[in-house]
Amino acid sequence: MKTISQLEFGFIDAQRYLQNPGDPLSEFFRKSFYKSKHLERAIDPDVYFLLGEKGTGKTAYAVYASLYMGSSFVADTEFFDKNDFTRFREVASSLGIEASQYSSLWVFTFIILLINNIDERTSLTKNPTLSHFMGAIRTISLGGQVRTISQSIEIASQIDSLFDKFASSANLGLPESVVSSAKPIFKITRLSDLCVAALADYSNALQFAMFIDGLDVRPDEVSYHDYLTVVSSICNAIWVINSTQLARIEPQIKITLLLRPDILETVPFQNRGPMLQNHSHLVEWGTRYPNFADSEIFKFTDRVLYSQQDEAERLYPGQTWEKYFPFKVESRASASGDNPFILFLRHSFYKPRDILKYLGLMKDFYETTGRGGVMQFEADVFKDRDIGDSYSRYLMLEIRDQLSFYYTNEEYQQFLDFTNGFLGKYIDKRDRVFTYENFCKAHLDYLEYNSRNKKVTVPSFATADITLQFMFDLNVLGYYEEKVFRNGEAKVFTNYSFRKRSFANLRPKVPTSGRYVMHYGVAKSLLVDFR
């Protein structure tokens, strides 16, 4: 068995494996990767939207498909740069393209990148249309390749020159007066149609997917309204290009957008239900404590530990975890105690990144206390205050990133002020529980405080119910639900937003009555007295 110091838990951000494929941790990523149903759905030709909260593994599945699927499936993963959104709007404005036409410009931008990526793997020169198109792009880019979304936007900005060079090379026979008077949006649409038709004629034995990532965090300099306009146009472009253009190509070529489900929920779509059911996949790792051993997230965690052992020492699934955590922890439901994995679940949002972060902090603790040479953890690791504080700060950073799509830093600060300075007075610090009535009292106190001090209350704190839903969306709080079974037995369940989310309900609602509980993992950061 590997000692604790010898264990690896990889990069927190899977993009780094793509950027550094020769790094030893990239080999760890390949060997330890858990090929769940999520990978199968990620590469499914009919899945255009890969949905999941930050840290659920969307990027990891895209990166694995891009690096390690072999000859049977070829993929690339592309990332938005924070400057792409401002630059895109500048280009659209310079071309006279209105917001309602943004999707057409994105379709063209993605087609440029898609064709360049395919050409790097298998030459497209045998197809006259694609050959002329690539030649025109190389002329404009001074012989260079288009490898990023940023570069593709710049090529699209030169649509007049690009169309002229393509038309001349392809001998389209269009009168010069027609070409010169045509609007940029017409040229964009015409070139998009020609390229897709050419791809349909091109014989290729490989499936190809281009994953698009990086929309989850809004740049500070871009307003929420402007960003949502661009994101909505991107989502619509992905839908249009896949469902009406690339869908005609066999074997299928697709472009898949990686996105948080709450962001997709804000995008206006017709026939949203069928689209989500048939062309999206939600990456989630839900489980209940009694069934944790059969859950995907436990199998993922055990795989990370199992894959690092020498082949002669490898055990059966689940046994590697038991070797490193050979003890029970105090249980709320069983006199014999719980498996320590229950505490990992209780402290986390049920995301692989959360589990790996917690394990990494535990490893650091053992190394700094001179115990890195042992081959198992002890129960005291869950009681260390420094680990708990560091992990809670990590969760709060994840929450802040999630908030940044919608809200300003001022709203985040008001969230902190309300939770600790006002709601905290009504929470039982030991069990973190409070009632709806007490929540309303805390909210009223907060509004009165803002009024006395002439502070503006941000929209997310306008009413108690809005604030309650806001905090539920962030998984900061959950609610208790009592269920009575046929045998008369009653059980109380704790429901968080991430547990209740589904395709039919991407943004679950919190009831406005009953009892609530603050999430254990964030309580250390939000409640000064909870230690």
Side-chain angles (χ1 to χ4, degrees):
M1 295 285 289
K2 291 286 191 294
T3 65
I4 289 174
S5 284
Q6 291 174 318
L7 292 176
E8 296 287 357
F9 299 113
F11 297 126
I12 288 293
D13 187 350
Q15 184 178 357
R16 293 183 63 181
Y17 298 119
L18 196 64
Q19 295 168 336
N20 305 282
D23 191 291
L25 283 180
S26 293
E27 177 62 12
F28 155 78
F29 173 69
R30 184 191 68 80
K31 290 174 60 178
S32 65
F33 191 82
Y34 179 59
K35 299 176 183 179
S36 69
K37 62 182 180 182
H38 302 311
L39 178 62
E40 296 176 11
R41 293 291 285 153
I43 66 175
D44 187 322
D46 289 328
V47 171
Y48 313 148
F49 298 94
L50 190 62
L51 308 177
E53 296 289 352
K54 189 171 179 282
T56 52
K58 305 187 303 294
T59 305
Y61 285 107
V63 168
Y64 186 87
S66 299
L67 292 177
Y68 304 119
M69 292 295 288
S71 59
S72 62
F73 185 88
V74 181
D76 274 319
T77 303
E78 307 295 341
F79 295 87
F80 279 103
D81 181 83
K82 67 177 183 177
N83 298 317
D84 287 341
F85 310 102
T86 300
R87 179 56 182 152
F88 174 85
R89 296 179 74 240
E90 291 173 351
V91 169
S93 177
S94 70
L95 296 177
I97 294 175
E98 300 175 353
S100 61
Q101 299 171 316
Y102 279 3
S103 291
S104 296
L105 181 54
W106 278 120
V107 166
F108 185 56
T109 301
F110 293 144
I111 285 175
I112 293 172
L113 193 55
L114 177 69
I115 289 175
N116 272 267
N117 286 347
I118 295 176
D119 185 62
E120 285 192 352
R121 286 174 162 77
T122 175
S123 176
L124 298 176
T125 55
K126 294 181 181 179
N127 184 284
T129 299
L130 297 176
S131 178
H132 294 311
F133 184 65
M134 292 296 298
I137 288 175
R138 291 193 182 98
T139 299
I140 289 176
S141 60
L142 303 179
Q145 291 282 352
V146 179
R147 292 192 172 93
T148 67
I149 295 172
S150 301
Q151 292 170 337
S152 190
I153 292 172
E154 294 306 322
I155 294 296
S157 73
Q158 303 296 316
I159 182 59
D160 287 333
S161 177
L162 181 67
F163 192 89
D164 288 347
K165 288 177 171 51
F166 173 79
S168 175
S169 175
N171 195 24
L172 294 183
L174 296 174
E176 183 177 343
S177 60
V178 172
V179 174
S180 61
S181 63
K183 292 183 177 181
I185 191 64
F186 170 80
K187 296 176 182 178
I188 285 169
T189 303
R190 182 64 178 142
L191 270 183
S192 297
D193 290 342
L194 288 170
C195 289
V196 171
L199 280 173
D201 290 338
Y202 182 76
S203 176
N204 187 352
L206 296 177
Q207 272 192 341
F208 187 87
M210 186 169 75
F211 296 98
I212 304 290
D213 198 3
L215 286 180
D216 286 354
V217 179
R218 174 173 57 86
D220 291 339
E221 65 274 12
V222 181
S223 72
Y224 170 69
H225 176 268
D226 290 343
Y227 193 63
L228 183 60
T229 299
V230 175
V231 170
S232 296
S233 66
I234 292 171
C235 292
N236 278 285
I238 293 295
W239 174 250
V240 168
I241 194 172
N242 282 295
S243 63
T244 65
Q245 295 176 307
L246 297 182
R248 302 195 302 264
I249 301 176
E250 294 290 345
Q252 191 154 352
I253 297 172
K254 72 162 185 170
I255 302 176
T256 298
L257 184 66
L258 281 58
L259 197 64
R260 283 185 359 217
D262 58 298
I263 296 176
L264 187 65
E265 181 74 2
T266 66
V267 175
F269 272 120
Q270 291 183 342
N271 300 318
R272 175 183 295 273
M275 184 204 71
L276 288 175
Q277 291 291 340
N278 300 325
H279 300 290
S280 304
H281 176 66
L282 182 63
V283 181
E284 55 83 27
W285 303 81
T287 186
R288 292 289 183 182
Y289 293 164
N291 306 320
F292 83 89
D294 296 321
S295 69
E296 297 281 273
I297 195 164
F298 176 74
K299 293 175 183 177
F300 156 82
T301 308
D302 183 64
R303 171 79 185 173
V304 169
L305 299 173
Y306 163 87
S307 64
Q308 298 185 60
Q309 311 307 316
D310 295 333
E311 289 191 13
E313 299 176 331
R314 286 184 176 175
L315 305 168
Y316 292 106
Q319 291 184 333
T320 311
W321 171 266
E322 293 175 358
K323 289 290 184 179
Y324 281 105
F325 291 89
F327 55 85
K328 296 286 187 179
V329 296
E330 184 179 350
S331 173
R332 299 174 181 177
S334 172
S336 60
D338 280 333
N339 188 292
F341 194 75
I342 299 297
L343 288 186
F344 279 83
L345 294 176
R346 187 174 296 151
H347 292 188
S348 75
F349 296 142
Y350 292 26
K351 298 187 293 189
R353 180 181 295 178
D354 296 350
I355 304 298
L356 295 180
K357 180 65 177 181
Y358 209 172
L359 285 168
L361 290 172
M362 291 179 174
K363 173 188 172 181
D364 293 344
F365 170 70
Y366 267 62
E367 289 181 328
T368 56
T369 55
R371 291 186 285 169
V374 303
M375 289 184 286
Q376 63 185 38
F377 292 96
E378 296 179 4
D380 67 339
V381 75
F382 290 103
K383 299 177 181 179
D384 183 77
R385 177 171 292 185
D386 291 337
I387 292 177
D389 290 346
S390 296
Y391 186 68
S392 189
R393 286 194 295 271
Y394 152 77
L395 291 178
M396 290 303 299
L397 286 174
E398 295 289 287
I399 288 173
R400 185 165 190 167
D401 281 348
Q402 183 176 347
L403 273 171
S404 67
F405 182 86
Y406 304 99
Y407 304 111
T408 63
N409 289 334
E410 173 63 22
E411 286 179 288
Y412 179 73
Q413 188 58 51
Q414 289 204 17
F415 157 67
L416 297 179
D417 293 344
F418 168 74
T419 305
N420 185 43
F422 296 88
L423 181 59
K425 294 186 298 183
Y426 294 95
I427 293 180
D428 185 309
K429 301 303 186 299
R430 179 175 175 80
D431 58 16
R432 316 177 317 284
V433 174
F434 55 96
T435 64
Y436 177 73
E437 290 74 21
N438 282 340
F439 186 88
C440 291
K441 290 177 183 177
H443 187 268
L444 181 60
D445 291 347
Y446 181 67
L447 293 183
E448 291 175 347
Y449 169 83
N450 281 353
S451 178
R452 287 195 307 271
N453 291 274
K454 296 181 172 54
K455 294 182 66 175
V456 176
T457 300
V458 295
S460 50
F461 284 83
T463 70
D465 289 354
I466 290 175
T467 307
L468 188 70
Q469 183 67 46
F470 167 76
M471 296 179 68
F472 182 68
D473 290 342
L474 296 176
N475 297 304
V476 169
L477 60 84
Y479 64 90
Y480 287 128
E481 179 183 17
E482 183 175 347
K483 291 186 177 180
V484 180
F485 296 89
R486 290 182 179 178
N487 61 3
E489 181 184 7
K491 286 188 176 181
V492 176
F493 295 91
T494 306
N495 294 314
Y496 291 98
S497 180
F498 66 84
R499 284 184 175 178
K500 301 295 288 184
R501 186 178 294 114
S502 67
F503 275 131
N505 191 11
L506 287 178
R507 193 189 180 206
K509 300 300 181 185
V510 61
T512 52
S513 63
R515 296 189 305 147
Y516 308 88
V517 59
M518 182 166 287
H519 190 281
Y520 189 92
V522 300
K524 289 180 179 291
S525 292
L526 291 177
L527 301 177
V528 171
D529 296 332
F530 181 73
R531 292 291 186 268

